[in-house]
Amino acid sequence: MVQLPDVILEEILCRLSVKCLLRFRCVSKSWFAIISSPNFAKLHLNRSVQTKRNLRLFQRNNDLFREKFDSLHDGNVLQKVKVDSIPLTFRNYRLVPRCSCDGLICMLQFRGMQRLYLWNPNSTIRNYGPQPNCFLRDGLIFVRAIENVFLWNPSIKKSIKLPYASIEIATLGIHFVSVYYDYRIGYDNINDDYKVVRIVLIISRSPDIFLDYEVKVYSLGSNSWHKLEKFLYCPDWHSFGNSIAGGAMHWISIVKSDLKSERLIVAFDLGTEKCRVLPKPEYTSPHFKLYLHNLEGCLSLSCQYESSSIVDVFLLKDYGGKNEHWSRLITLSPTTTFKIYHPFIPIAYSKSGKKVWFMNSNRLRRSLVLYNLEQKSVEKIRGGDRRLTSILYNCLESLVPVDVPAAAVCNQVYVKFDLQIETWFS
């Protein structure tokens, strides 16, 4: 029997879906070795990015749903297909997707009741219990503890629970505070590693004033967290989207002076873990809402102008190069049938590349539209038999593993705390 060279076989196999490839591992030992190799996983991923063959649209409600792009039915209705392979652990913890990268989805308890720890920065954890708010008292700060965070590849049905990462923010003498946190996942191409960035912000509840923040980074290669030094440019909580592109995470930072308030676009490089300020696009008028997102690997900026409901969508070209600049992709204008109350975020191109999927940034009332680049027209999309109110993510099918290197497991130090539930208030 004549066997094809491995190079040719890889070029053939990388065009197949993950489901087929998982079955084909049983063909022979050589096929198993090829399909299971890290190099083939990267080859398959790059092929999927180029062809969009394995691109899926994930939708978050009480359950997870998926659908292929360019699969609209009569009346521009997006038909949902429920994901049945969700691990039971995720259902028990009520985990929801927060972000994705190369087929890996970061799952966490983003809403609902969470544990709060009573913490003294000068000592150790004192006690914990279910409480709805965060506040400071007698040098102790109550903070949410995000214990159940997972990286999950639904294509290969594998996941890993991230180690616990404490929140280490010193007491500020304020009696009532709110704690906000968010996660983003991205690929560090310098160290060939996937990293999760967690940003925690502390805001006083009365009045509503920003107090402090913390940034920690998780490395899949070392299976550990480390805390970063504070940046000069504090993130604006409302500016986060799926903003990792070009190997960096991005946010809007509001810098205030005596005369004016300026909004800067900041990039945090996942490889060097350093920040830089990006150039600004050419705004047509004063703006009041900005939103960053990743449009298939390219950083996008949605800007809704103060004088109207018009939204400009920019793309950052030649990222990190000498000719780095913003290019206006489209301008969305309201019509009698299409109203704009919040910036619309581009989430993906259609498979033909002639249309762009957009989702509005209103977290309470989501809507999805298709913009035709040739006809410059907008088509409204409905999610099944009711209005689309969930958050949408585009996620590639991939063979990217979530395995932790053996050395990282051996060097991992696990610390267990004996915590006793006590009553905080009498």
Side-chain angles (χ1 to χ4, degrees):
M1 182 177 178
V2 179
Q3 290 188 346
L4 294 173
D6 287 350
V7 176
I8 297 178
L9 188 58
E10 288 177 354
E11 285 296 326
I12 296 173
L13 292 177
C14 74
R15 289 163 166 77
L16 302 179
S17 66
V18 173
K19 185 177 181 180
C20 291
L21 291 171
L22 294 179
R23 292 204 310 264
F24 290 167
R25 290 184 303 177
C26 302
V27 171
S28 65
K29 290 183 179 180
S30 61
W31 280 41
F32 180 88
I34 290 174
I35 296 172
S36 302
S37 69
N39 289 335
F40 180 77
K42 293 179 181 179
L43 178 65
H44 180 268
L45 177 65
N46 293 334
R47 180 71 183 178
S48 298
V49 171
Q50 293 171 5
T51 62
K52 304 177 187 176
R53 176 185 175 89
N54 296 312
L55 193 60
R56 298 291 186 270
L57 186 68
F58 271 77
Q59 178 179 345
R60 188 184 92 189
N61 266 329
N62 294 327
D63 293 298
L64 285 182
F65 301 89
R66 69 168 181 266
E67 185 54 272
K68 293 182 180 180
F69 285 84
D70 292 335
S71 61
L72 296 178
H73 297 265
D74 293 339
N76 279 351
V77 176
L78 186 66
Q79 298 295 328
K80 300 180 295 186
V81 179
K82 190 173 181 179
V83 178
D84 295 324
S85 60
I86 302 176
L88 182 61
T89 304
F90 292 4
R91 297 183 186 275
N92 293 339
Y93 288 149
R94 297 183 179 179
L95 303 184
V96 295
R98 189 57 195 155
C99 52
S100 68
C101 175
D102 294 348
L104 301 182
I105 302 178
C106 185
M107 306 285 294
L108 66 147
Q109 292 171 307
F110 192 66
R111 291 182 180 178
M113 186 67 69
Q114 306 226 356
R115 293 183 180 222
L116 303 180
Y117 283 83
L118 179 57
W119 172 60
N120 187 327
N122 299 317
S123 59
T124 58
I125 295 175
R126 287 279 298 277
N127 55 25
Y128 71 98
Q131 293 292 333
N133 298 315
C134 305
F135 52 91
L136 297 169
R137 172 178 290 183
D138 300 330
L140 302 175
I141 179 171
F142 292 83
V143 296
R144 283 183 171 87
I146 311 101
E147 296 178 282
N148 300 311
V149 183
F150 288 78
L151 285 184
W152 176 43
N153 186 333
S155 302
I156 60 176
K157 300 181 181 180
K158 289 188 178 181
S159 63
I160 180 175
K161 184 177 180 179
L162 273 57
Y164 171 74
S166 61
I167 300 175
E168 307 168 48
I169 299 180
T171 304
L172 298 173
I174 308 297
H175 292 292
F176 294 95
V177 302
S178 296
V179 178
Y180 297 91
Y181 59 89
D182 215 341
Y183 288 72
R184 292 295 180 268
I185 178 175
Y187 177 66
D188 172 8
N189 54 13
I190 296 178
N191 302 298
D192 188 21
D193 192 11
Y194 286 93
K195 292 183 176 179
V196 177
V197 181
R198 187 190 74 182
I199 296 184
V200 179
L201 286 85
I202 305 294
I203 299 175
S204 67
R205 298 178 58 207
S206 181
D208 188 11
I209 300 175
F210 168 79
L211 299 175
D212 203 353
Y213 76 100
E214 171 192 270
V215 181
K216 284 192 174 183
V217 177
Y218 167 82
S219 165
L220 182 61
S222 64
N223 192 32
S224 62
W225 292 90
H226 62 275
K227 184 178 178 181
L228 301 183
E229 296 294 330
K230 284 187 170 60
F231 308 130
L232 294 175
Y233 311 103
C234 174
D236 175 23
W237 177 252
H238 302 288
S239 67
F240 291 112
N242 185 18
S243 57
I244 290 188
M249 180 178 176
H250 305 84
W251 62 76
I252 304 297
S253 180
I254 301 177
V255 180
K256 297 182 180 180
S257 63
D258 296 336
L259 301 177
K260 63 178 182 178
S261 177
E262 186 179 15
R263 297 188 180 189
L264 303 178
I265 305 171
V266 181
F268 168 68
D269 191 284
L270 294 175
T272 62
E273 298 188 353
K274 302 294 183 182
C275 284
R276 69 183 181 100
V277 177
L278 299 180
K280 299 178 184 178
E282 295 183 1
Y283 304 116
T284 57
S285 65
H287 56 279
F288 71 103
K289 287 182 181 179
L290 295 176
Y291 207 92
L292 294 166
H293 208 73
N294 179 332
L295 179 58
E296 298 190 7
C298 187
L299 182 66
S300 71
L301 175 68
S302 297
C303 173
Q304 185 177 30
Y305 294 108
E306 189 173 290
S307 57
S308 66
S309 295
I310 293 177
V311 175
D312 269 342
V313 180
F314 301 91
L315 296 180
L316 187 60
K317 301 293 186 178
D318 192 25
Y319 189 96
K322 295 182 179 179
N323 298 320
E324 185 178 67
H325 67 282
W326 290 95
S327 174
R328 186 179 282 103
L329 175 65
I330 62 169
T331 297
L332 289 172
S333 302
T335 64
T336 55
T337 58
F338 176 62
K339 303 297 182 182
I340 301 177
Y341 303 104
H342 299 271
F344 271 78
I345 309 158
I347 57 176
Y349 289 100
S350 65
K351 194 169 184 180
S352 64
K354 297 179 180 180
K355 297 180 180 180
V356 183
W357 293 75
F358 279 89
M359 178 180 65
N360 76 348
S361 58
N362 185 354
R363 297 186 178 185
L364 300 178
R365 194 175 185 181
R366 299 286 180 182
S367 61
L368 184 68
V369 299
L370 265 177
Y371 183 86
N372 192 310
L373 296 172
E374 293 180 341
Q375 301 176 6
K376 297 184 179 180
S377 60
V378 174
E379 306 170 27
K380 289 187 177 181
I381 307 300
R382 292 184 291 120
D385 56 356
R386 61 180 179 176
R387 288 186 64 87
L388 185 65
T389 57
S390 57
I391 301 176
L392 296 161
Y393 304 92
N394 52 335
C395 182
L396 283 167
E397 287 188 354
S398 78
L399 295 166
V400 175
V402 291
D403 301 325
V404 176
V409 176
C410 294
N411 294 330
Q412 184 71 42
V413 178
Y414 294 94
V415 180
K416 295 183 179 180
F417 296 94
D418 264 335
L419 301 177
Q420 181 181 4
I421 300 179
E422 298 179 7
T423 304
W424 289 353
F425 302 107
S426 57

mmCIF file of all heavy atoms in Angstrom, residues 301-332:
data_model
loop_
_atom_site.group_PDB
_atom_site.id
_atom_site.type_symbol
_atom_site.label_atom_id
_atom_site.label_comp_id
_atom_site.label_asym_id
_atom_site.label_seq_id
_atom_site.Cartn_x
_atom_site.Cartn_y
_atom_site.Cartn_z
ATOM 1 N N LEU A 301 -12.672 49.928 16.296
ATOM 2 C CA LEU A 301 -13.134 50.959 17.223
ATOM 3 C C LEU A 301 -14.457 51.499 16.713
ATOM 4 O O LEU A 301 -14.536 52.019 15.597
ATOM 5 C CB LEU A 301 -12.108 52.091 17.329
ATOM 6 C CG LEU A 301 -12.527 53.297 18.171
ATOM 7 C CD1 LEU A 301 -12.626 52.912 19.639
ATOM 8 C CD2 LEU A 301 -11.547 54.457 17.997
ATOM 9 N N SER A 302 -15.503 51.359 17.538
ATOM 10 C CA SER A 302 -16.815 51.917 17.202
ATOM 11 C C SER A 302 -16.993 53.217 17.967
ATOM 12 O O SER A 302 -16.806 53.263 19.184
ATOM 13 C CB SER A 302 -17.934 50.935 17.565
ATOM 14 O OG SER A 302 -17.821 49.746 16.816
ATOM 15 N N CYS A 303 -17.349 54.280 17.253
ATOM 16 C CA CYS A 303 -17.474 55.606 17.850
ATOM 17 C C CYS A 303 -18.844 56.179 17.523
ATOM 18 O O CYS A 303 -19.195 56.342 16.355
ATOM 19 C CB CYS A 303 -16.370 56.521 17.322
ATOM 20 S SG CYS A 303 -16.542 58.235 17.842
ATOM 21 N N GLN A 304 -19.626 56.449 18.575
ATOM 22 C CA GLN A 304 -20.931 57.102 18.390
ATOM 23 C C GLN A 304 -20.792 58.575 18.755
ATOM 24 O O GLN A 304 -20.370 58.911 19.863
ATOM 25 C CB GLN A 304 -22.007 56.444 19.249
ATOM 26 C CG GLN A 304 -23.404 57.012 18.981
ATOM 27 C CD GLN A 304 -24.470 56.303 19.790
ATOM 28 O OE1 GLN A 304 -24.206 55.829 20.877
ATOM 29 N NE2 GLN A 304 -25.662 56.215 19.247
ATOM 30 N N TYR A 305 -21.145 59.459 17.824
ATOM 31 C CA TYR A 305 -20.884 60.879 18.008
ATOM 32 C C TYR A 305 -21.930 61.555 18.872
ATOM 33 O O TYR A 305 -23.104 61.176 18.883
ATOM 34 C CB TYR A 305 -20.788 61.558 16.647
ATOM 35 C CG TYR A 305 -19.595 61.092 15.844
ATOM 36 C CD1 TYR A 305 -19.760 60.276 14.737
ATOM 37 C CD2 TYR A 305 -18.307 61.436 16.233
ATOM 38 C CE1 TYR A 305 -18.658 59.832 14.011
ATOM 39 C CE2 TYR A 305 -17.204 60.997 15.517
ATOM 40 C CZ TYR A 305 -17.383 60.192 14.413
ATOM 41 O OH TYR A 305 -16.299 59.737 13.719
ATOM 42 N N GLU A 306 -21.479 62.593 19.572
ATOM 43 C CA GLU A 306 -22.320 63.305 20.523
ATOM 44 C C GLU A 306 -23.433 64.072 19.827
ATOM 45 O O GLU A 306 -24.538 64.198 20.343
ATOM 46 C CB GLU A 306 -21.439 64.258 21.329
ATOM 47 C CG GLU A 306 -22.118 64.909 22.497
ATOM 48 C CD GLU A 306 -21.133 65.699 23.322
ATOM 49 O OE1 GLU A 306 -20.284 65.081 23.990
ATOM 50 O OE2 GLU A 306 -21.202 66.939 23.269
ATOM 51 N N SER A 307 -23.174 64.588 18.651
ATOM 52 C CA SER A 307 -24.144 65.435 17.962
ATOM 53 C C SER A 307 -25.223 64.648 17.230
ATOM 54 O O SER A 307 -26.207 65.218 16.769
ATOM 55 C CB SER A 307 -23.420 66.347 16.956
ATOM 56 O OG SER A 307 -22.680 65.558 16.031
ATOM 57 N N SER A 308 -25.034 63.330 17.090
ATOM 58 C CA SER A 308 -26.009 62.519 16.356
ATOM 59 C C SER A 308 -25.896 61.079 16.805
ATOM 60 O O SER A 308 -25.092 60.743 17.675
ATOM 61 C CB SER A 308 -25.773 62.617 14.844
ATOM 62 O OG SER A 308 -24.528 62.029 14.514
ATOM 63 N N SER A 309 -26.697 60.231 16.200
ATOM 64 C CA SER A 309 -26.622 58.801 16.497
ATOM 65 C C SER A 309 -25.742 58.058 15.498
ATOM 66 O O SER A 309 -25.738 56.823 15.476
ATOM 67 C CB SER A 309 -28.033 58.195 16.492
ATOM 68 O OG SER A 309 -28.814 58.745 17.533
ATOM 69 N N ILE A 310 -25.020 58.787 14.676
ATOM 70 C CA ILE A 310 -24.166 58.161 13.668
ATOM 71 C C ILE A 310 -23.002 57.431 14.354
ATOM 72 O O ILE A 310 -22.412 57.934 15.308
ATOM 73 C CB ILE A 310 -23.632 59.219 12.682
ATOM 74 C CG1 ILE A 310 -24.783 59.782 11.848
ATOM 75 C CG2 ILE A 310 -22.559 58.624 11.772
ATOM 76 C CD1 ILE A 310 -24.374 60.892 10.900
ATOM 77 N N VAL A 311 -22.690 56.238 13.856
ATOM 78 C CA VAL A 311 -21.587 55.436 14.392
ATOM 79 C C VAL A 311 -20.552 55.214 13.299
ATOM 80 O O VAL A 311 -20.874 54.707 12.218
ATOM 81 C CB VAL A 311 -22.089 54.070 14.915
ATOM 82 C CG1 VAL A 311 -20.914 53.211 15.362
ATOM 83 C CG2 VAL A 311 -23.072 54.266 16.061
ATOM 84 N N ASP A 312 -19.318 55.637 13.567
ATOM 85 C CA ASP A 312 -18.194 55.336 12.688
ATOM 86 C C ASP A 312 -17.474 54.104 13.212
ATOM 87 O O ASP A 312 -17.225 53.988 14.423
ATOM 88 C CB ASP A 312 -17.206 56.513 12.647
ATOM 89 C CG ASP A 312 -17.530 57.499 11.531
ATOM 90 O OD1 ASP A 312 -18.275 57.127 10.611
ATOM 91 O OD2 ASP A 312 -17.036 58.636 11.592
ATOM 92 N N VAL A 313 -17.128 53.196 12.302
ATOM 93 C CA VAL A 313 -16.388 51.994 12.674
ATOM 94 C C VAL A 313 -15.024 52.047 11.992
ATOM 95 O O VAL A 313 -14.937 52.124 10.761
ATOM 96 C CB VAL A 313 -17.145 50.712 12.272
ATOM 97 C CG1 VAL A 313 -16.340 49.479 12.671
ATOM 98 C CG2 VAL A 313 -18.522 50.682 12.925
ATOM 99 N N PHE A 314 -13.952 52.032 12.799
ATOM 100 C CA PHE A 314 -12.591 52.123 12.288
ATOM 101 C C PHE A 314 -11.870 50.794 12.475
ATOM 102 O O PHE A 314 -12.154 50.047 13.416
ATOM 103 C CB PHE A 314 -11.806 53.215 13.025
ATOM 104 C CG PHE A 314 -12.390 54.592 12.921
ATOM 105 C CD1 PHE A 314 -13.292 55.055 13.856
ATOM 106 C CD2 PHE A 314 -12.019 55.435 11.878
ATOM 107 C CE1 PHE A 314 -13.831 56.333 13.773
ATOM 108 C CE2 PHE A 314 -12.544 56.715 11.779
ATOM 109 C CZ PHE A 314 -13.456 57.158 12.723
ATOM 110 N N LEU A 315 -10.905 50.514 11.618
ATOM 111 C CA LEU A 315 -10.012 49.370 11.746
ATOM 112 C C LEU A 315 -8.575 49.868 11.794
ATOM 113 O O LEU A 315 -8.207 50.779 11.049
ATOM 114 C CB LEU A 315 -10.175 48.397 10.576
ATOM 115 C CG LEU A 315 -11.529 47.707 10.412
ATOM 116 C CD1 LEU A 315 -11.497 46.780 9.200
ATOM 117 C CD2 LEU A 315 -11.913 46.938 11.660
ATOM 118 N N LEU A 316 -7.762 49.269 12.685
ATOM 119 C CA LEU A 316 -6.367 49.669 12.799
ATOM 120 C C LEU A 316 -5.528 48.856 11.816
ATOM 121 O O LEU A 316 -5.398 47.640 11.948
ATOM 122 C CB LEU A 316 -5.861 49.449 14.228
ATOM 123 C CG LEU A 316 -4.465 49.985 14.543
ATOM 124 C CD1 LEU A 316 -4.401 51.500 14.316
ATOM 125 C CD2 LEU A 316 -4.058 49.650 15.972
ATOM 126 N N LYS A 317 -4.966 49.540 10.829
ATOM 127 C CA LYS A 317 -4.178 48.888 9.783
ATOM 128 C C LYS A 317 -2.683 48.924 10.118
ATOM 129 O O LYS A 317 -2.214 49.822 10.813
ATOM 130 C CB LYS A 317 -4.419 49.582 8.442
ATOM 131 C CG LYS A 317 -5.880 49.586 7.994
ATOM 132 C CD LYS A 317 -6.372 48.186 7.661
ATOM 133 C CE LYS A 317 -7.775 48.225 7.081
ATOM 134 N NZ LYS A 317 -8.258 46.876 6.712
ATOM 135 N N ASP A 318 -1.943 47.940 9.571
ATOM 136 C CA ASP A 318 -0.500 47.830 9.765
ATOM 137 C C ASP A 318 -0.156 47.888 11.253
ATOM 138 O O ASP A 318 0.676 48.693 11.706
ATOM 139 C CB ASP A 318 0.235 48.938 9.013
ATOM 140 C CG ASP A 318 1.749 48.702 8.953
ATOM 141 O OD1 ASP A 318 2.166 47.534 9.048
ATOM 142 O OD2 ASP A 318 2.495 49.694 8.851
ATOM 143 N N TYR A 319 -0.808 47.014 12.024
ATOM 144 C CA TYR A 319 -0.668 47.035 13.482
ATOM 145 C C TYR A 319 0.798 46.858 13.889
ATOM 146 O O TYR A 319 1.460 45.910 13.500
ATOM 147 C CB TYR A 319 -1.510 45.919 14.099
ATOM 148 C CG TYR A 319 -1.600 45.997 15.613
ATOM 149 C CD1 TYR A 319 -2.677 46.614 16.222
ATOM 150 C CD2 TYR A 319 -0.608 45.465 16.423
ATOM 151 C CE1 TYR A 319 -2.767 46.695 17.592
ATOM 152 C CE2 TYR A 319 -0.679 45.548 17.794
ATOM 153 C CZ TYR A 319 -1.763 46.160 18.383
ATOM 154 O OH TYR A 319 -1.843 46.249 19.743
ATOM 155 N N GLY A 320 1.284 47.806 14.692
ATOM 156 C CA GLY A 320 2.649 47.756 15.190
ATOM 157 C C GLY A 320 3.706 48.153 14.182
ATOM 158 O O GLY A 320 4.895 48.159 14.510
ATOM 159 N N GLY A 321 3.298 48.476 12.955
ATOM 160 C CA GLY A 321 4.256 48.844 11.918
ATOM 161 C C GLY A 321 4.509 50.341 11.852
ATOM 162 O O GLY A 321 3.930 51.131 12.597
ATOM 163 N N LYS A 322 5.333 50.734 10.892
ATOM 164 C CA LYS A 322 5.659 52.151 10.739
ATOM 165 C C LYS A 322 4.472 52.956 10.233
ATOM 166 O O LYS A 322 4.346 54.144 10.534
ATOM 167 C CB LYS A 322 6.845 52.308 9.772
ATOM 168 C CG LYS A 322 8.143 51.698 10.284
ATOM 169 C CD LYS A 322 9.277 51.923 9.300
ATOM 170 C CE LYS A 322 10.588 51.343 9.812
ATOM 171 N NZ LYS A 322 11.700 51.537 8.845
ATOM 172 N N ASN A 323 3.619 52.308 9.444
ATOM 173 C CA ASN A 323 2.465 53.013 8.870
ATOM 174 C C ASN A 323 1.169 52.681 9.609
ATOM 175 O O ASN A 323 0.094 52.673 9.024
ATOM 176 C CB ASN A 323 2.323 52.647 7.388
ATOM 177 C CG ASN A 323 3.523 53.074 6.575
ATOM 178 O OD1 ASN A 323 4.070 54.158 6.778
ATOM 179 N ND2 ASN A 323 3.949 52.217 5.647
ATOM 180 N N GLU A 324 1.275 52.400 10.894
ATOM 181 C CA GLU A 324 0.089 52.089 11.691
ATOM 182 C C GLU A 324 -0.898 53.251 11.650
ATOM 183 O O GLU A 324 -0.556 54.388 11.958
ATOM 184 C CB GLU A 324 0.512 51.807 13.141
ATOM 185 C CG GLU A 324 -0.614 51.356 14.045
ATOM 186 C CD GLU A 324 -0.116 51.051 15.446
ATOM 187 O OE1 GLU A 324 0.303 52.006 16.148
ATOM 188 O OE2 GLU A 324 -0.124 49.870 15.851
ATOM 189 N N HIS A 325 -2.143 52.972 11.254
ATOM 190 C CA HIS A 325 -3.143 54.036 11.130
ATOM 191 C C HIS A 325 -4.546 53.437 11.179
ATOM 192 O O HIS A 325 -4.741 52.244 10.957
ATOM 193 C CB HIS A 325 -2.956 54.796 9.805
ATOM 194 C CG HIS A 325 -3.252 53.956 8.600
ATOM 195 N ND1 HIS A 325 -2.368 53.014 8.109
ATOM 196 C CD2 HIS A 325 -4.354 53.885 7.785
ATOM 197 C CE1 HIS A 325 -2.893 52.419 7.048
ATOM 198 N NE2 HIS A 325 -4.095 52.918 6.835
ATOM 199 N N TRP A 326 -5.518 54.297 11.479
ATOM 200 C CA TRP A 326 -6.915 53.889 11.519
ATOM 201 C C TRP A 326 -7.563 54.153 10.159
ATOM 202 O O TRP A 326 -7.352 55.210 9.563
ATOM 203 C CB TRP A 326 -7.684 54.647 12.589
ATOM 204 C CG TRP A 326 -7.302 54.275 13.993
ATOM 205 C CD1 TRP A 326 -6.399 54.905 14.794
ATOM 206 C CD2 TRP A 326 -7.819 53.176 14.748
ATOM 207 N NE1 TRP A 326 -6.319 54.279 16.006
ATOM 208 C CE2 TRP A 326 -7.183 53.205 16.012
ATOM 209 C CE3 TRP A 326 -8.753 52.182 14.481
ATOM 210 C CZ2 TRP A 326 -7.458 52.277 17.016
ATOM 211 C CZ3 TRP A 326 -9.036 51.254 15.480
ATOM 212 C CH2 TRP A 326 -8.388 51.295 16.720
ATOM 213 N N SER A 327 -8.340 53.201 9.704
ATOM 214 C CA SER A 327 -9.079 53.337 8.445
ATOM 215 C C SER A 327 -10.568 53.160 8.728
ATOM 216 O O SER A 327 -10.968 52.209 9.409
ATOM 217 C CB SER A 327 -8.591 52.287 7.429
ATOM 218 O OG SER A 327 -9.385 52.304 6.265
ATOM 219 N N ARG A 328 -11.377 54.086 8.199
ATOM 220 C CA ARG A 328 -12.820 54.000 8.426
ATOM 221 C C ARG A 328 -13.408 52.873 7.587
ATOM 222 O O ARG A 328 -13.312 52.874 6.368
ATOM 223 C CB ARG A 328 -13.498 55.329 8.100
ATOM 224 C CG ARG A 328 -14.994 55.351 8.450
ATOM 225 C CD ARG A 328 -15.636 56.687 8.135
ATOM 226 N NE ARG A 328 -15.320 57.684 9.150
ATOM 227 C CZ ARG A 328 -14.416 58.650 8.995
ATOM 228 N NH1 ARG A 328 -13.737 58.752 7.846
ATOM 229 N NH2 ARG A 328 -14.171 59.506 9.962
ATOM 230 N N LEU A 329 -14.002 51.873 8.246
ATOM 231 C CA LEU A 329 -14.616 50.745 7.554
ATOM 232 C C LEU A 329 -15.975 51.128 7.006
ATOM 233 O O LEU A 329 -16.236 51.009 5.797
ATOM 234 C CB LEU A 329 -14.744 49.547 8.500
ATOM 235 C CG LEU A 329 -15.483 48.319 7.957
ATOM 236 C CD1 LEU A 329 -14.717 47.697 6.797
ATOM 237 C CD2 LEU A 329 -15.708 47.291 9.069
ATOM 238 N N ILE A 330 -16.858 51.577 7.867
ATOM 239 C CA ILE A 330 -18.202 51.995 7.449
ATOM 240 C C ILE A 330 -18.696 53.094 8.375
ATOM 241 O O ILE A 330 -18.134 53.332 9.450
ATOM 242 C CB ILE A 330 -19.221 50.825 7.471
ATOM 243 C CG1 ILE A 330 -19.367 50.294 8.894
ATOM 244 C CG2 ILE A 330 -18.842 49.722 6.526
ATOM 245 C CD1 ILE A 330 -20.524 49.350 9.068
ATOM 246 N N THR A 331 -19.773 53.728 7.969
ATOM 247 C CA THR A 331 -20.499 54.677 8.801
ATOM 248 C C THR A 331 -21.957 54.237 8.850
ATOM 249 O O THR A 331 -22.609 54.121 7.808
ATOM 250 C CB THR A 331 -20.410 56.103 8.242
ATOM 251 O OG1 THR A 331 -19.038 56.527 8.245
ATOM 252 C CG2 THR A 331 -21.228 57.060 9.082
ATOM 253 N N LEU A 332 -22.439 53.959 10.059
ATOM 254 C CA LEU A 332 -23.826 53.547 10.258
ATOM 255 C C LEU A 332 -24.668 54.767 10.604
ATOM 256 O O LEU A 332 -24.353 55.500 11.551
ATOM 257 C CB LEU A 332 -23.925 52.508 11.382
ATOM 258 C CG LEU A 332 -23.374 51.107 11.085
ATOM 259 C CD1 LEU A 332 -23.363 50.279 12.366
ATOM 260 C CD2 LEU A 332 -24.212 50.418 10.023
#
